[in-house]
Amino acid sequence: MKQYIFSFYTDHTEQAKPVVWEETILASGMMEAFSKVKMLMEKYKREKGVPIRVQYKGVRYRHTDIA
């Protein structure tokens, strides 16, 4: 399993300031990681009520960052 690192962003709205956080997704491949991220995006969009943007940051193999 590899660790795929993604940054999640919310846009600035009149009610709230932008928020940025990182998530590490455990997956065997890039397609699996993106599928999991898509589900997380939908979940966070429902919870926060604002659009969520995602940026791929890199992959970690055995505790070594490659970006």
Side-chain angles (χ1 to χ4, degrees):
M1 293 292 255
K2 300 171 196 158
Q3 297 177 347
Y4 293 89
I5 298 117
F6 292 87
S7 290
F8 289 79
Y9 303 87
T10 62
D11 289 329
H12 178 75
T13 63
E14 293 178 12
Q15 294 85 15
K17 293 183 178 181
V19 178
V20 179
W21 70 97
E22 286 193 354
E23 294 272 346
T24 301
I25 308 296
L26 291 174
S28 58
M30 185 67 77
M31 289 300 292
E32 181 184 355
F34 276 104
S35 296
K36 289 180 178 182
V37 165
K38 186 175 178 180
M39 288 187 292
L40 281 174
M41 274 180 51
E42 292 170 3
K43 175 185 167 192
Y44 292 145
K45 185 177 179 180
R46 282 191 307 266
E47 287 177 0
K48 297 183 182 303
V50 294
I52 305 290
R53 293 185 293 145
V54 176
Q55 180 180 6
Y56 172 71
K57 298 293 279 189
V59 63
R60 188 178 297 145
Y61 298 93
R62 297 184 187 169
H63 306 294
T64 302
D65 287 335
I66 299 174

